[in-house]
Amino acid sequence: MKKVMLMVAFMVATVAASAQVYIGGGIGFSSEKEGYANGDEEPDAATKFHFTPEIGYNLSDKLAVGLGLNFTTTKPNDDIKYFDFEIAPYARWTFVKWNRVSLFLEGGLAYGFNKEKEDIPSGNKTETVEKKDSYFKIGVKPGLRVDLTDHVALMTRVGWLGYECRMPDGEDMNNGSRFGLDVDGENLTFGVLYTF
């Protein structure tokens, strides 16, 4: 039994020593305030925060697989809050490499859910109304990677081409599906990767 345990420990250590495991992700924050309109009161500031960790494994110089998460909170005003969570496994194929710069395509699936909370004044009290929906996406994102060192890289993904289906949890949320190409600020992400 000791020989088996030693052999398993040796195999795990060998794989870990030669592994191309990477971790990374991005963080974002924004605050936006609209201008005054016709002497109205000072407008609320809309704030947005997102955190996108990921972990993956380089199968070769050209192919990697990984898992990304996305946590986003948005507060457009004092009465409404949005929360979004997404889990997204992916495969990344590097098709061009010049020294430390690479171009890649990342294909994957994503499942997530949104929650909206709104405080509605009702007489002397405030009633909180909650709405939820979930969604499923499949698609491809192009991207650019710049290796700063042998272990640290900067990465960006631009756009998305694929299919999305939304499933509401209740009658007051929109459902439906769409297929298309998005290349805008909402589909532009930056992050840092560290490879062990």
Side-chain angles (χ1 to χ4, degrees), residues 52-116:
T52 57
E54 68 177 280
I55 186 169
Y57 184 84
N58 292 313
L59 299 171
S60 70
D61 289 342
K62 294 192 175 274
L63 187 62
V65 292
L67 178 70
L69 301 175
N70 182 2
F71 303 90
T72 304
T73 61
T74 308
K75 189 177 178 188
N77 58 51
D78 288 337
D79 299 325
I80 301 176
K81 295 175 190 169
Y82 299 102
F83 175 75
D84 182 54
F85 171 76
E86 180 178 284
I87 183 167
Y90 64 83
R92 181 183 302 138
W93 173 55
T94 301
F95 61 92
V96 174
K97 185 164 180 127
W98 302 288
N99 295 324
R100 294 188 170 270
V101 178
S102 307
L103 297 176
F104 64 85
L105 287 176
E106 190 174 281
L109 309 170
Y111 175 77
F113 69 86
N114 298 298
K115 186 187 291 186
E116 175 188 334

Side-chain angles (χ1 to χ4, degrees), residues 78-195:
D78 288 337
D79 299 325
I80 301 176
K81 295 175 190 169
Y82 299 102
F83 175 75
D84 182 54
F85 171 76
E86 180 178 284
I87 183 167
Y90 64 83
R92 181 183 302 138
W93 173 55
T94 301
F95 61 92
V96 174
K97 185 164 180 127
W98 302 288
N99 295 324
R100 294 188 170 270
V101 178
S102 307
L103 297 176
F104 64 85
L105 287 176
E106 190 174 281
L109 309 170
Y111 175 77
F113 69 86
N114 298 298
K115 186 187 291 186
E116 175 188 334
K117 284 186 176 180
E118 183 175 3
D119 295 330
I120 300 174
S122 177
N124 295 333
K125 297 187 288 182
T126 300
E127 181 181 344
T128 300
V129 176
E130 189 173 287
K131 301 175 185 175
K132 297 184 216 174
D133 74 345
S134 57
Y135 59 88
F136 170 79
K137 294 195 280 190
I138 183 169
V140 177
K141 298 176 184 178
L144 171 76
R145 173 180 170 146
V146 179
D147 294 324
L148 301 178
T149 69
D150 290 340
H151 296 284
V152 179
L154 296 178
M155 182 176 279
T156 183
R157 299 168 180 95
V158 183
W160 177 81
L161 170 65
Y163 172 80
E164 178 179 1
C165 176
R166 292 203 163 264
M167 300 153 282
D169 183 15
E171 297 179 2
D172 51 355
M173 296 289 282
N174 293 329
N175 66 347
S177 61
R178 71 185 182 99
F179 176 81
L181 170 67
D182 290 333
V183 182
D184 56 24
E186 291 290 317
N187 290 287
L188 175 64
T189 61
F190 294 94
V192 178
L193 292 182
Y194 181 82
T195 302

